[in-house]
Coordinates of all heavy atoms in Angstrom, one line a residue:
M24 N -18.9 7.4 20.2 CA -18.2 7.4 18.9 C -17.5 8.7 18.6 O -18.1 9.8 18.8 CB -19.3 7.1 17.8 CG -18.6 6.8 16.4 SD -19.8 6.7 15.0 CE -20.3 5.0 15.2
S25 N -16.3 8.6 18.2 CA -15.5 9.9 18.0 C -16.1 10.6 16.7 O -16.7 10.0 15.9 CB -14.0 9.6 17.8 OG -13.9 9.0 16.5
N26 N -15.7 11.9 16.6 CA -16.2 12.6 15.5 C -15.7 12.0 14.2 O -16.4 12.0 13.2 CB -15.7 14.1 15.6 CG -16.7 14.9 16.4 OD1 -17.8 14.4 16.7 ND2 -16.2 16.1 16.9
L27 N -14.4 11.6 14.2 CA -13.8 11.0 13.0 C -14.5 9.7 12.6 O -14.8 9.5 11.4 CB -12.3 10.8 13.2 CG -11.5 10.5 12.0 CD1 -11.5 11.6 11.0 CD2 -10.0 10.2 12.4
K28 N -14.8 8.9 13.5 CA -15.5 7.6 13.2 C -16.9 7.9 12.7 O -17.4 7.2 11.8 CB -15.6 6.8 14.5 CG -14.4 5.9 14.8 CD -14.6 5.0 15.9 CE -13.4 4.1 16.1 NZ -13.5 3.3 17.3
R29 N -17.5 8.9 13.3 CA -18.9 9.3 12.8 C -18.8 9.8 11.4 O -19.7 9.4 10.6 CB -19.5 10.4 13.7 CG -20.9 10.6 13.5 CD -21.6 11.5 14.5 NE -21.7 10.9 15.8 CZ -21.1 11.4 17.0 NH1 -20.5 12.5 17.0 NH2 -21.3 10.7 18.1
K30 N -17.8 10.6 11.1 CA -17.7 11.1 9.7 C -17.5 9.9 8.7 O -18.1 9.8 7.6 CB -16.4 12.0 9.6 CG -16.7 13.4 9.9 CD -17.2 14.1 8.6 CE -17.6 15.6 8.9 NZ -19.0 15.9 8.6
F31 N -16.6 8.9 9.1 CA -16.4 7.8 8.2 C -17.7 7.0 8.0 O -18.0 6.5 6.9 CB -15.3 6.9 8.8 CG -13.9 7.3 8.5 CD1 -13.0 7.5 9.4 CD2 -13.5 7.5 7.1 CE1 -11.7 7.9 9.1 CE2 -12.2 7.9 6.8 CZ -11.3 8.1 7.8
A32 N -18.4 6.8 9.1 CA -19.7 6.1 9.0 C -20.7 6.8 8.0 O -21.4 6.2 7.2 CB -20.3 5.9 10.4
Q33 N -20.7 8.1 8.1 CA -21.6 8.9 7.3 C -21.1 8.8 5.8 O -22.0 8.6 4.9 CB -21.5 10.4 7.7 CG -22.3 10.7 8.9 CD -22.1 12.1 9.4 OE1 -21.1 12.8 9.0 NE2 -22.9 12.6 10.3
I34 N -19.8 8.8 5.5 CA -19.3 8.7 4.2 C -19.7 7.3 3.6 O -20.1 7.2 2.5 CB -17.8 9.0 4.1 CG1 -17.5 10.4 4.4 CG2 -17.2 8.5 2.8 CD1 -16.1 10.8 4.7
K35 N -19.5 6.3 4.4 CA -19.8 4.9 4.0 C -21.3 4.8 3.7 O -21.6 4.2 2.7 CB -19.4 4.0 5.2 CG -18.9 2.6 4.7 CD -18.4 1.9 5.9 CE -18.4 0.4 5.6 NZ -18.0 -0.4 6.8
F36 N -22.1 5.4 4.5 CA -23.5 5.3 4.3 C -23.9 6.0 3.0 O -24.7 5.5 2.1 CB -24.2 6.0 5.5 CG -25.7 6.1 5.3 CD1 -26.5 4.9 5.4 CD2 -26.4 7.3 5.1 CE1 -27.9 5.0 5.2 CE2 -27.7 7.4 5.0 CZ -28.5 6.3 5.0
L37 N -23.4 7.2 2.7 CA -23.7 8.0 1.5 C -23.2 7.3 0.3 O -23.8 7.2 -0.7 CB -23.0 9.4 1.6 CG -23.7 10.4 2.5 CD1 -22.9 11.7 2.6 CD2 -25.1 10.7 2.0
R38 N -22.0 6.6 0.4 CA -21.4 5.9 -0.7 C -22.4 4.7 -1.1 O -22.6 4.5 -2.3 CB -20.1 5.4 -0.4 CG -19.4 4.7 -1.6 CD -18.0 4.3 -1.4 NE -17.2 5.5 -1.4 CZ -15.9 5.5 -1.2 NH1 -15.3 4.4 -0.8 NH2 -15.1 6.5 -1.3
K39 N -22.9 4.1 -0.1 CA -23.8 3.0 -0.4 C -25.1 3.5 -1.1 O -25.6 2.8 -2.0 CB -24.3 2.3 0.9 CG -23.3 1.2 1.4 CD -23.8 0.4 2.5 CE -22.8 -0.7 2.8 NZ -23.1 -1.4 4.1
I40 N -25.6 4.6 -0.7 CA -26.8 5.2 -1.4 C -26.4 5.5 -2.8 O -27.2 5.2 -3.8 CB -27.3 6.5 -0.6 CG1 -27.8 6.1 0.7 CG2 -28.3 7.2 -1.5 CD1 -28.2 7.3 1.6
F41 N -25.3 6.2 -3.0 CA -24.8 6.5 -4.4 C -24.7 5.3 -5.3 O -25.2 5.2 -6.4 CB -23.5 7.3 -4.4 CG -23.5 8.6 -3.8 CD1 -22.4 9.3 -3.3 CD2 -24.7 9.3 -3.7 CE1 -22.4 10.5 -2.8 CE2 -24.8 10.6 -3.2 CZ -23.7 11.2 -2.7
E42 N -24.0 4.2 -4.7 CA -23.8 3.0 -5.5 C -25.1 2.3 -5.8 O -25.2 1.7 -6.9 CB -22.8 2.1 -4.7 CG -21.4 2.7 -4.8 CD -20.4 1.9 -3.9 OE1 -20.9 1.0 -3.1 OE2 -19.2 2.3 -3.9
A43 N -26.0 2.4 -5.0 CA -27.3 1.7 -5.2 C -28.0 2.4 -6.5 O -28.8 1.7 -7.1 CB -28.2 1.9 -4.0
K44 N -27.7 3.6 -6.7 CA -28.3 4.3 -7.9 C -27.7 3.8 -9.2 O -28.2 4.1 -10.3 CB -28.2 5.8 -7.8 CG -29.0 6.5 -6.7 CD -28.8 8.0 -6.8 CE -29.9 8.7 -6.0 NZ -29.7 10.2 -6.2
G45 N -26.5 3.2 -9.2 CA -25.8 2.8 -10.4 C -24.6 3.7 -10.7 O -24.3 4.5 -9.9
N46 N -24.1 3.5 -11.8 CA -22.9 4.2 -12.3 C -23.2 4.9 -13.6 O -23.9 4.4 -14.5 CB -21.7 3.3 -12.5 CG -21.1 2.9 -11.1 OD1 -21.1 3.6 -10.2 ND2 -20.6 1.7 -11.1
I47 N -22.6 6.1 -13.8 CA -22.6 6.8 -15.0 C -21.7 6.1 -16.0 O -20.6 5.8 -15.7 CB -22.1 8.3 -14.9 CG1 -23.0 9.1 -13.9 CG2 -22.1 9.0 -16.3 CD1 -24.4 9.3 -14.4
T48 N -22.3 5.8 -17.2 CA -21.5 5.1 -18.2 C -21.6 5.9 -19.5 O -22.6 6.6 -19.8 CB -21.9 3.7 -18.5 OG1 -23.3 3.7 -18.9 CG2 -21.8 2.8 -17.3
N49 N -20.6 5.8 -20.3 CA -20.4 6.5 -21.6 C -20.4 5.6 -22.8 O -19.5 4.7 -22.8 CB -19.2 7.4 -21.5 CG -19.0 8.3 -22.7 OD1 -19.7 8.2 -23.7 ND2 -18.1 9.3 -22.6
D50 N -21.3 5.7 -23.7 CA -21.2 5.0 -25.0 C -20.2 5.8 -25.9 O -20.5 6.7 -26.5 CB -22.5 4.9 -25.6 CG -22.5 4.3 -27.0 OD1 -21.4 3.9 -27.5 OD2 -23.5 4.1 -27.6
H51 N -18.9 5.3 -25.9 CA -17.9 6.1 -26.5 C -18.1 6.2 -28.0 O -17.5 7.1 -28.6 CB -16.5 5.5 -26.2 CG -16.1 5.7 -24.8 ND1 -15.4 6.8 -24.4 CD2 -16.3 5.0 -23.7 CE1 -15.2 6.8 -23.1 NE2 -15.8 5.7 -22.6
N52 N -18.9 5.4 -28.6 CA -19.2 5.6 -30.0 C -19.9 6.9 -30.4 O -19.8 7.4 -31.4 CB -20.1 4.4 -30.5 CG -19.3 3.1 -30.5 OD1 -18.1 3.1 -30.7 ND2 -20.0 2.0 -30.3
K53 N -20.7 7.4 -29.4 CA -21.4 8.6 -29.6 C -20.8 9.8 -29.0 O -21.2 11.0 -29.3 CB -22.9 8.4 -29.0 CG -23.7 7.5 -29.8 CD -25.2 7.6 -29.4 CE -25.5 7.0 -28.1 NZ -26.9 7.1 -27.7
C54 N -19.8 9.7 -28.2 CA -19.1 10.8 -27.5 C -18.3 11.6 -28.5 O -17.5 11.1 -29.2 CB -18.3 10.3 -26.3 SG -17.4 11.6 -25.4
I55 N -18.5 12.9 -28.4 CA -17.7 13.8 -29.3 C -16.6 14.6 -28.5 O -16.0 15.5 -29.0 CB -18.6 14.8 -30.1 CG1 -19.5 15.6 -29.1 CG2 -19.5 14.1 -31.1 CD1 -20.3 16.7 -29.7
Y56 N -16.5 14.2 -27.3 CA -15.4 14.8 -26.4 C -15.5 16.3 -26.3 O -14.5 17.0 -26.4 CB -14.1 14.3 -26.8 CG -14.0 12.8 -26.9 CD1 -14.1 12.1 -28.2 CD2 -13.9 12.0 -25.8 CE1 -14.1 10.7 -28.3 CE2 -14.0 10.6 -25.9 CZ -14.0 10.0 -27.1 OH -14.1 8.6 -27.2
C57 N -16.7 16.8 -26.2 CA -16.9 18.3 -26.2 C -16.6 18.8 -24.8 O -16.3 20.0 -24.7 CB -18.4 18.6 -26.5 SG -19.6 17.9 -25.3
G58 N -16.6 18.0 -23.8 CA -16.3 18.5 -22.4 C -17.4 19.1 -21.6 O -17.1 19.6 -20.5
L59 N -18.6 19.2 -22.2 CA -19.7 19.8 -21.4 C -20.0 19.1 -20.1 O -20.3 19.7 -19.1 CB -20.9 19.9 -22.3 CG -20.9 20.9 -23.4 CD1 -22.2 20.8 -24.3 CD2 -20.8 22.3 -22.8
C60 N -19.9 17.8 -20.2 CA -20.2 17.0 -18.9 C -19.2 17.3 -17.8 O -19.5 17.4 -16.7 CB -20.2 15.5 -19.2 SG -18.7 14.9 -20.1
E61 N -17.9 17.5 -18.3 CA -16.9 17.9 -17.3 C -17.2 19.2 -16.7 O -17.0 19.4 -15.5 CB -15.5 17.9 -18.1 CG -14.3 18.2 -17.2 CD -13.1 18.3 -18.0 OE1 -13.1 18.8 -19.1 OE2 -12.0 17.8 -17.5
K62 N -17.7 20.2 -17.5 CA -17.9 21.5 -17.0 C -19.1 21.6 -16.0 O -19.0 22.3 -15.0 CB -18.2 22.5 -18.2 CG -17.0 22.9 -18.9 CD -17.3 24.0 -19.9 CE -16.1 24.3 -20.7 NZ -16.3 24.3 -22.2
V63 N -20.1 20.8 -16.2 CA -21.3 20.9 -15.3 C -21.1 20.0 -14.0 O -21.9 20.2 -13.1 CB -22.6 20.5 -16.0 CG1 -22.9 21.4 -17.2 CG2 -22.6 19.0 -16.4
C64 N -20.1 19.2 -14.0 CA -20.0 18.3 -12.8 C -19.4 19.1 -11.6 O -18.3 19.6 -11.7 CB -19.1 17.1 -13.1 SG -18.9 16.0 -11.7
S65 N -20.2 19.2 -10.6 CA -19.9 20.1 -9.5 C -18.8 19.4 -8.6 O -18.2 20.1 -7.7 CB -21.1 20.4 -8.6 OG -21.7 19.2 -8.2
V66 N -18.6 18.1 -8.7 CA -17.5 17.5 -7.9 C -16.3 17.1 -8.7 O -15.4 16.4 -8.2 CB -18.1 16.3 -7.2 CG1 -19.2 16.7 -6.2 CG2 -18.7 15.2 -8.1
N67 N -16.2 17.5 -9.9 CA -15.1 17.3 -10.8 C -14.8 15.8 -10.9 O -13.6 15.3 -10.9 CB -13.8 18.0 -10.3 CG -14.0 19.5 -10.3 OD1 -14.5 20.0 -11.2 ND2 -13.5 20.1 -9.3
A68 N -15.8 15.0 -11.1 CA -15.7 13.5 -11.3 C -15.3 13.1 -12.7 O -14.8 12.0 -12.9 CB -17.0 12.8 -10.9
I69 N -15.5 14.0 -13.7 CA -15.3 13.6 -15.1 C -14.1 14.4 -15.6 O -13.9 15.6 -15.4 CB -16.6 14.0 -15.9 CG1 -17.7 13.1 -15.5 CG2 -16.3 13.7 -17.4 CD1 -19.0 13.4 -16.2
T70 N -13.3 13.7 -16.4 CA -12.1 14.3 -17.1 C -12.3 13.9 -18.6 O -12.4 12.8 -18.9 CB -10.8 13.7 -16.5 OG1 -10.8 13.9 -15.1 CG2 -9.6 14.4 -17.2
V71 N -12.2 15.0 -19.4 CA -12.3 14.8 -20.8 C -11.2 15.5 -21.5 O -10.8 16.6 -21.2 CB -13.7 15.5 -21.4 CG1 -13.8 15.2 -22.9 CG2 -14.9 14.9 -20.6
S72 N -10.6 14.8 -22.6 CA -9.6 15.4 -23.4 C -10.0 15.2 -24.9 O -10.1 14.1 -25.4 CB -8.3 14.7 -23.2 OG -7.4 15.1 -24.2
K73 N -10.4 16.3 -25.5 CA -10.8 16.3 -26.9 C -9.6 15.9 -27.8 O -9.7 15.1 -28.7 CB -11.3 17.7 -27.3 CG -12.0 17.6 -28.7 CD -12.6 19.0 -29.0 CE -13.4 18.9 -30.3 NZ -14.8 18.6 -30.2
H74 N -8.4 16.4 -27.4 CA -7.2 16.1 -28.2 C -6.9 14.6 -28.2 O -6.6 14.0 -29.2 CB -6.0 16.9 -27.6 CG -4.7 16.6 -28.2 ND1 -4.5 17.0 -29.5 CD2 -3.6 16.1 -27.8 CE1 -3.2 16.6 -29.9 NE2 -2.7 16.1 -28.8
Q75 N -7.0 14.0 -27.0 CA -6.7 12.5 -26.9 C -7.9 11.6 -27.1 O -7.8 10.4 -27.0 CB -6.0 12.3 -25.5 CG -4.7 13.0 -25.3 CD -4.1 12.7 -23.9 OE1 -4.8 12.4 -23.0 NE2 -2.8 12.9 -23.8
K76 N -9.0 12.3 -27.3 CA -10.3 11.5 -27.4 C -10.5 10.5 -26.2 O -10.7 9.3 -26.4 CB -10.3 10.7 -28.7 CG -10.5 11.6 -30.0 CD -10.8 10.8 -31.2 CE -11.2 11.6 -32.4 NZ -11.1 13.0 -32.5
S77 N -10.3 11.1 -25.0 CA -10.5 10.3 -23.8 C -11.5 10.9 -22.9 O -11.7 12.1 -22.9 CB -9.1 10.1 -23.1 OG -8.7 11.4 -22.6
W78 N -12.2 10.0 -22.2 CA -13.2 10.4 -21.3 C -13.1 9.4 -20.1 O -13.0 8.2 -20.3 CB -14.6 10.2 -21.9 CG -15.8 10.6 -21.0 CD1 -16.4 11.8 -21.0 CD2 -16.4 9.8 -20.0 NE1 -17.4 11.8 -20.1 CE2 -17.5 10.6 -19.5 CE3 -16.2 8.5 -19.6 CZ2 -18.3 10.1 -18.5 CZ3 -17.1 8.0 -18.6 CH2 -18.1 8.8 -18.0
S79 N -13.1 10.0 -18.9 CA -13.0 9.1 -17.7 C -13.9 9.7 -16.5 O -14.1 10.9 -16.5 CB -11.6 8.8 -17.2 OG -11.0 10.1 -16.9
I80 N -14.2 8.8 -15.6 CA -15.0 9.2 -14.5 C -14.6 8.5 -13.2 O -14.1 7.4 -13.3 CB -16.6 8.9 -14.7 CG1 -17.4 9.5 -13.6 CG2 -16.8 7.4 -14.9 CD1 -18.9 9.5 -13.9
E81 N -14.6 9.3 -12.1 CA -14.2 8.7 -10.8 C -15.5 8.4 -10.1 O -16.2 9.3 -9.6 CB -13.4 9.7 -10.0 CG -12.0 9.8 -10.6 CD -11.1 10.6 -9.6 OE1 -11.0 10.3 -8.4 OE2 -10.6 11.6 -10.1
H82 N -15.9 7.1 -10.2 CA -17.2 6.7 -9.6 C -17.2 6.9 -8.1 O -18.3 7.1 -7.5 CB -17.5 5.2 -9.9 CG -17.7 5.0 -11.3 ND1 -18.8 5.5 -12.0 CD2 -17.0 4.3 -12.2 CE1 -18.7 5.1 -13.3 NE2 -17.7 4.4 -13.5
N83 N -16.1 6.9 -7.4 CA -16.0 7.1 -6.0 C -16.5 8.5 -5.5 O -17.0 8.6 -4.4 CB -14.6 6.9 -5.5 CG -14.2 5.4 -5.4 OD1 -15.1 4.6 -5.4 ND2 -12.9 5.2 -5.2
I84 N -16.3 9.5 -6.4 CA -16.7 10.8 -6.0 C -18.0 11.3 -6.7 O -18.6 12.3 -6.3 CB -15.6 11.9 -6.1 CG1 -15.1 12.0 -7.6 CG2 -14.4 11.6 -5.2 CD1 -14.2 13.1 -7.8
C85 N -18.4 10.5 -7.7 CA -19.7 10.9 -8.4 C -20.9 10.9 -7.5 O -21.1 9.9 -6.8 CB -19.9 10.0 -9.6 SG -21.5 10.2 -10.4
A86 N -21.7 11.9 -7.5 CA -22.8 12.0 -6.6 C -24.1 11.5 -7.3 O -25.2 11.5 -6.7 CB -23.0 13.4 -6.2
R87 N -24.0 11.0 -8.5 CA -25.2 10.5 -9.3 C -26.3 11.5 -9.4 O -27.5 11.2 -9.4 CB -25.7 9.2 -8.6 CG -25.0 8.0 -9.0 CD -23.6 7.9 -8.3 NE -23.0 6.6 -8.5 CZ -21.8 6.3 -8.1 NH1 -21.0 7.2 -7.5 NH2 -21.3 5.1 -8.3
C88 N -25.9 12.8 -9.6 CA -26.9 13.9 -9.7 C -27.5 13.9 -11.1 O -28.6 14.5 -11.3 CB -26.3 15.2 -9.4 SG -25.1 15.7 -10.6
T89 N -26.8 13.3 -12.1 CA -27.2 13.1 -13.5 C -27.3 14.5 -14.3 O -27.9 14.5 -15.3 CB -28.6 12.4 -13.7 OG1 -29.7 13.2 -13.2 CG2 -28.6 11.0 -13.0
H90 N -26.6 15.5 -13.8 CA -26.5 16.7 -14.5 C -25.7 16.5 -15.8 O -26.1 17.1 -16.9 CB -25.8 17.8 -13.7 CG -26.6 18.4 -12.6 ND1 -26.1 19.0 -11.5 CD2 -28.0 18.3 -12.4 CE1 -27.1 19.4 -10.7 NE2 -28.2 19.0 -11.2
C91 N -24.7 15.7 -15.8 CA -23.9 15.4 -17.0 C -24.8 14.7 -18.0 O -24.7 15.0 -19.2 CB -22.7 14.5 -16.6 SG -23.1 13.0 -15.7
V92 N -25.7 13.7 -17.6 CA -26.6 13.0 -18.5 C -27.5 14.0 -19.2 O -27.7 13.9 -20.4 CB -27.4 12.0 -17.7 CG1 -28.4 11.3 -18.6 CG2 -26.5 10.9 -17.0
A93 N -28.0 14.9 -18.4 CA -29.0 15.9 -19.0 C -28.3 16.9 -19.9 O -28.9 17.4 -20.8 CB -29.7 16.6 -17.8
T94 N -27.0 17.1 -19.7 CA -26.3 18.1 -20.5 C -25.7 17.6 -21.8 O -25.6 18.3 -22.7 CB -25.2 18.7 -19.6 OG1 -25.7 19.2 -18.4 CG2 -24.4 19.8 -20.3
C95 N -25.4 16.3 -21.8 CA -24.7 15.7 -23.0 C -25.5 15.9 -24.3 O -26.6 15.5 -24.4 CB -24.4 14.3 -22.7 SG -23.6 13.5 -24.1
P96 N -24.9 16.6 -25.3 CA -25.6 16.9 -26.5 C -25.9 15.7 -27.4 O -26.8 15.7 -28.2 CB -24.7 17.9 -27.2 CG -23.4 17.6 -26.7 CD -23.5 17.2 -25.3
T97 N -25.1 14.6 -27.2 CA -25.3 13.4 -28.0 C -26.0 12.3 -27.3 O -26.2 11.2 -27.8 CB -24.0 12.9 -28.5 OG1 -23.1 12.5 -27.4 CG2 -23.2 13.9 -29.4
K98 N -26.4 12.6 -26.0 CA -27.1 11.6 -25.2 C -26.4 10.3 -25.1 O -26.9 9.2 -25.2 CB -28.6 11.3 -25.8 CG -29.4 12.6 -25.9 CD -29.7 13.2 -24.6 CE -30.4 14.5 -24.7 NZ -30.1 15.5 -23.6
T99 N -25.1 10.4 -24.9 CA -24.2 9.2 -24.8 C -24.1 8.7 -23.3 O -23.6 7.6 -23.1 CB -22.9 9.5 -25.4 OG1 -22.1 8.4 -25.3 CG2 -22.1 10.6 -24.7
L100 N -24.4 9.6 -22.4 CA -24.3 9.2 -21.0 C -25.6 8.6 -20.4 O -26.7 9.1 -20.7 CB -23.9 10.4 -20.1 CG -22.5 11.1 -20.5 CD1 -22.3 12.3 -19.6 CD2 -21.4 10.1 -20.3
T101 N -25.4 7.6 -19.6 CA -26.6 7.0 -18.9 C -26.2 6.6 -17.5 O -25.0 6.3 -17.2 CB -27.1 5.7 -19.7 OG1 -26.0 4.9 -19.9 CG2 -27.8 6.1 -20.9
L102 N -27.2 6.5 -16.7 CA -27.0 6.0 -15.3 C -27.5 4.6 -15.3 O -28.7 4.3 -15.4 CB -27.8 6.9 -14.3 CG -27.7 6.5 -12.8 CD1 -26.3 6.6 -12.3 CD2 -28.6 7.4 -12.0
Q103 N -26.5 3.7 -15.2 CA -26.9 2.2 -15.3 C -26.6 1.5 -14.0 O -25.6 1.7 -13.3 CB -26.1 1.6 -16.4 CG -26.5 2.0 -17.8 CD -25.8 1.3 -18.9 OE1 -25.0 0.4 -18.6 NE2 -26.1 1.6 -20.1
K104 N -27.5 0.6 -13.7 CA -27.3 -0.2 -12.4 C -26.5 -1.5 -12.7 O -26.5 -1.9 -13.8 CB -28.7 -0.6 -11.9 CG -29.4 0.6 -11.2 CD -30.4 0.2 -10.3 CE -31.0 1.4 -9.6 NZ -32.0 1.1 -8.6
Ligands
LIG185 S1 -21.0 15.9 -22.9 FE1 -21.4 14.0 -23.9 S2 -20.4 14.2 -25.9 FE2 -19.6 15.8 -24.6 S3 -17.7 14.9 -23.7 FE3 -19.4 14.5 -22.3 S4 -20.1 12.5 -22.8 FE4 -18.9 13.2 -24.5
LIG186 S1 -23.8 12.4 -12.2 FE1 -23.3 14.4 -11.3 S2 -21.6 14.1 -9.9 FE2 -21.7 12.3 -11.3 S3 -20.3 12.8 -13.0 FE3 -22.4 13.4 -13.6 S4 -22.5 15.6 -13.0 FE4 -20.8 14.7 -11.9

């Protein structure tokens, strides 16, 4: 197996593990768009705009570490299966 194929196989495997843990979801009724979750995310998966009152996440790159969940002051984030 070439190095590139091995890398793809590893990424596919890791993605399956991440997806099995579930996805981070936001109850937008409680979100105050403070941006703390965006700041603590080491892979830059979350984008927050206080001005536009928008919050989004890229599930493909989220590592499901739950640092954002622990940091959120309004406890609006959850890891759901
Ligand atoms: S930390 Fe919580 S309240 Fe602040 S932007 Fe993120 S989800 Fe919203
Ligand atoms: S769970 Fe971790 S990787 Fe995913 S969005 Fe939250 S802080 Fe970022």
Side-chain angles (χ1 to χ4, degrees):
M24 189 186 277
S25 72
N26 278 346
L27 193 59
K28 277 187 178 173
R29 191 171 289 123
K30 271 275 177 239
F31 276 125
Q33 285 171 343
I34 290 168
K35 213 171 160 184
F36 176 70
L37 285 174
R38 184 173 285 175
K39 275 191 178 168
I40 291 174
F41 290 160
E42 286 170 356
K44 286 184 167 183
N46 285 327
I47 299 292
T48 59
N49 187 347
D50 174 358
H51 288 270
N52 291 327
K53 290 195 283 180
C54 181
I55 56 173
Y56 306 102
C57 64
L59 285 177
C60 53
E61 183 183 40
K62 281 191 186 129
V63 298
C64 181
S65 58
V66 296
N67 298 321
I69 296 177
T70 305
V71 182
S72 168
K73 193 172 181 92
H74 179 64
Q75 296 178 336
K76 291 193 174 1
S77 67
W78 181 97
S79 62
I80 184 167
E81 288 187 55
H82 293 296
N83 282 346
I84 59 172
C85 170
R87 278 74 171 172
C88 67
T89 70
H90 287 160
C91 55
V92 175
T94 304
C95 178
T97 61
K98 304 294 172 213
T99 182
L100 298 177
T101 48
L102 180 61
Q103 291 186 0
K104 287 200 177 181

